[in-house]
Amino acid sequence: MNSRDSEHMIAQLREKEGYTMTEEFREADLILINTCSVRERPVHKLFSELGGFNKHKKSGAKIGVCGCTASHLGEEIIKRAPYVNFVLGARNVSKISEVLHKDKAVEIDINYDESEFAFDDFRTSPYKAFINISIGCDKACTFCIVPKTRGDEISIPADLIIQEAKKAVDGGAKEIFLLGQNVNNYGRRFSGDNEKVGFSELLRRLSKIEELKRIRFTSPHPFHMDDEFIEEFARNPKICKSMHMPLQSGSSRILKEMKRGYTKEWFINRVEKLRAECPTVSISTDIIVAFPGESDEDFADTVDVMKKVRFDQIFSFKYSPRPETEAEHLTEVDSEVASDRLSYLQTLNNEIHDEINAALLGNTYSVYFEELIRDGYVSGRSDNNIVIKVKGSEELLGTFQDVKVTTIGRTILTGEILA
Ligand code: SAH
């Protein structure tokens, strides 16, 4: 989501302000830092990075702080780093041109509605297009700062999304990646008088774009994974068979404390339904360890879900208290216990992951190549999100090739293109 916000800002700056990009920040007239505030660490990093940029920037260059940390710290950023020229919140991206010309501007209104704003075009990759389908988040997860930095959830009108997808496909993209905090809650609220379209219907309409070959999305919320959604996912051949299911915790008690709206049993039931409908699906997840009050038994439930589901990929985090969240003042789990749990989970995940990967040797996948990487390799993904590299160069980019897996690695597999 932040990457797409950056693309939107770059688009406005190029088209409206005549900026171009530079690889070297010492030459830049404008330095934008787009921040995250989901966990505490990136916030600390912001101030140390700002110091470095300020010290080495070209004389007269402006510095802007954007994104979620901008939303939640606002003025304080300028107080702590007075050389910052403006602060622009995650929900105010379209105002980039405005703040650029007002010194010390702070635009962080989380009620500002950008859901129908027509951004200019800029994409980092011509092969894969990120497309926002909603702004904000309507959930009330007690650990999460996102609703406080991105505001209420508003869906972007379906016709705007389809228009954007068509434009990306005309520009050569064969894959689109739909973005939102709860994509499968799409359509619950629009800002204007827009046609009420739900997520499954949006997917059906997008898949009618002929030259579009692949549709991905993130994140769906387990609470909204009803049968219709899972069946559309399984049935629609353009939807990539890779599902992100953010578990957060395997303990029903902790899930309730987190206000996630589902139980351990519901989550496992949804995984079973998904695998029954779609046996090739790969499933990834997010897990928070040591949420306040998490006991050994609660953690054992998370481990149990890990063992039952055998996720293809996990993103795991130690709980980090965030300002203005319900859980902020709850007593934290001892930090050593928290670290032990995190490393236990990651070790278990590596074991599961190695077993899953080992079984892929010799398989053949249709890979969509999108990136040049080191040492003369090109990498891409299978439909079910396995990252595979082959020897090759530019001419492979933007093409689909059948690839046989020849070497297994932990984060990337190596393969050979079949003639
Ligand atoms: N909308 C997504 C969450 C996006 S934030 C959802 O509902 O699942 C991305 C991930 O960051 C979350 O899934 C969660 O695992 C992690 N996260 C969010 N707040 C956190 C916190 N306070 N401490 C640690 N991890 C957190």
Side-chain angles (χ1 to χ4, degrees):
M1 210 158 227
N2 273 10
S3 300
R4 185 61 185 144
D5 289 344
S6 296
E7 288 181 346
H8 278 150
M9 289 189 281
I10 295 166
Q12 296 310 107
L13 291 168
R14 282 162 59 106
E15 298 301 322
K16 303 281 184 298
E17 308 294 332
Y19 279 89
T20 56
M21 303 265 275
T22 171
E23 295 289 317
E24 180 44 73
F25 84 84
R26 289 176 178 82
E27 288 170 6
D29 298 303
L30 170 64
I31 297 169
L32 288 185
I33 306 181
N34 196 6
T35 59
C36 174
S37 61
V38 163
R39 283 170 296 278
E40 197 176 4
R41 219 165 49 169
V43 180
H44 292 312
K45 211 169 131 196
L46 167 67
F47 288 98
S48 64
E49 296 228 323
L50 270 176
F53 284 132
N54 185 47
K55 196 163 161 204
H56 301 291
K57 71 176 189 184
K58 182 165 117 179
S59 134
K62 290 181 182 172
I63 299 184
V65 176
C66 317
C68 296
T69 305
S71 308
H72 103 85
L73 291 182
E75 297 273 355
E76 199 189 316
I77 295 177
I78 298 187
K79 277 199 200 119
R80 282 177 67 179
Y83 47 83
V84 167
N85 297 84
F86 61 85
V87 174
L88 184 66
R91 194 164 165 137
N92 309 82
V93 173
S94 61
K95 293 185 180 165
I96 180 74
S97 287
E98 237 175 83
V99 292
L100 183 66
H101 300 292
K102 274 196 243 157
D103 200 35
K104 310 297 173 208
V106 177
E107 288 284 350
I108 54 169
D109 179 8
I110 61 164
N111 295 311
Y112 187 64
D113 182 2
E114 300 192 305
S115 65
E116 298 185 26
F117 188 85
F119 285 97
D120 284 302
D121 261 343
F122 175 79
R123 296 197 175 280
T124 321
S125 164
Y127 311 111
K128 174 163 78 181
F130 288 123
I131 300 180
N132 288 345
I133 67 165
S134 59
I135 61 173
C137 180
D138 263 2
K139 298 277 179 252
C141 303
T142 54
F143 54 82
C144 190
I145 197 173
V146 172
K148 292 288 182 317
T149 62
R150 290 186 176 269
D152 289 346
E153 190 167 314
I154 306 179
S155 301
I156 293 171
D159 48 356
L160 288 185
I161 296 169
I162 291 165
Q163 233 177 56
E164 200 180 335
K166 282 187 175 154
K167 215 193 274 177
V169 169
D170 287 344
K174 297 189 180 78
E175 181 174 312
I176 59 171
F177 205 129
L178 307 176
L179 302 173
Q181 290 297 333
N182 304 292
V183 287
N184 51 346
N185 193 32
Y186 176 81
R188 215 174 72 104
R189 187 193 304 129
F190 292 97
S191 79
D193 186 18
N194 288 291
E195 186 193 3
K196 291 261 177 262
V197 175
F199 190 55
S200 300
E201 176 59 18
L202 177 70
L203 291 172
R204 283 192 284 274
R205 291 189 189 179
L206 284 166
S207 50
K208 289 194 183 121
I209 301 173
E210 208 171 317
E211 289 305 307
L212 175 63
K213 303 294 180 214
R214 285 183 171 183
I215 303 173
R216 297 186 192 276
F217 52 78
T218 205
S219 335
H221 193 294
F223 174 77
H224 298 291
M225 290 194 175
D226 55 18
D227 287 354
E228 188 206 350
F229 166 70
I230 292 179
E231 285 158 17
E232 177 63 24
F233 175 87
R235 193 186 309 128
N236 185 329
K238 289 197 178 176
I239 300 178
C240 290
K241 300 305 178 250
S242 134
M243 186 79 91
H244 189 59
M245 294 181 69
L247 168 67
Q248 312 303 3
S249 167
S251 152
S252 295
R253 193 183 74 79
I254 293 291
L255 286 168
K256 198 163 177 206
E257 296 290 314
M258 289 175 161
K259 295 205 174 145
R260 290 292 287 176
Y262 53 88
T263 58
K264 175 184 180 186
E265 290 69 30
W266 166 261
F267 188 92
I268 292 175
N269 172 280
R270 295 296 83 192
V271 170
E272 284 167 355
K273 165 85 180 161
L274 183 60
R275 289 210 165 121
E277 295 287 335
C278 186
T280 59
V281 69
S282 68
I283 303 179
S284 55
T285 197
D286 292 345
I287 294 176
I288 298 176
V289 299
F291 180 82
E294 186 186 77
S295 65
D296 288 342
E297 290 74 37
D298 293 318
F299 180 64
D301 270 327
T302 301
V303 172
D304 187 46
V305 176
M306 286 270 295
K307 288 183 175 164
K308 288 200 165 95
V309 174
R310 296 173 63 81
F311 294 103
D312 294 270
Q313 191 178 17
I314 72 164
F315 301 92
S316 50
F317 315 99
K318 215 194 286 185
Y319 169 74
S320 164
R322 308 305 297 124
E324 291 183 71
T325 58
E326 254 187 84
E328 179 188 3
H329 298 297
L330 299 179
T331 310
E332 281 181 63
V333 170
D334 176 79
S335 85
E336 214 169 298
V337 172
S339 301
D340 287 350
R341 287 182 187 164
L342 186 66
S343 70
Y344 183 89
L345 212 62
Q346 291 178 340
T347 307
L348 173 63
N349 176 57
N350 285 342
E351 281 167 27
I352 294 174
H353 190 67
D354 288 348
E355 283 167 22
I356 292 175
N357 263 2
L360 305 181
L361 191 67
N363 286 1
T364 299
Y365 297 96
S366 174
V367 174
Y368 181 52
F369 286 102
E370 40 181 298
E371 200 181 349
L372 288 178
I373 55 173
R374 277 178 302 144
D375 306 329
Y377 281 92
V378 184
S379 81
R381 284 167 196 267
S382 70
D383 175 281
N384 60 353
N385 215 24
I386 301 168
V387 184
I388 306 179
K389 65 175 181 178
V390 299
K391 277 265 179 223
S393 53
E394 279 96 346
E395 62 271 12
L396 284 177
L397 294 175
T399 70
F400 286 90
Q401 306 288 340
D402 286 332
V403 176
K404 186 175 174 178
V405 176
T406 54
T407 314
I408 301 295
R410 191 165 268 167
T411 51
I412 191 164
L413 310 184
T414 310
E416 273 167 18
I417 294 178
L418 297 178

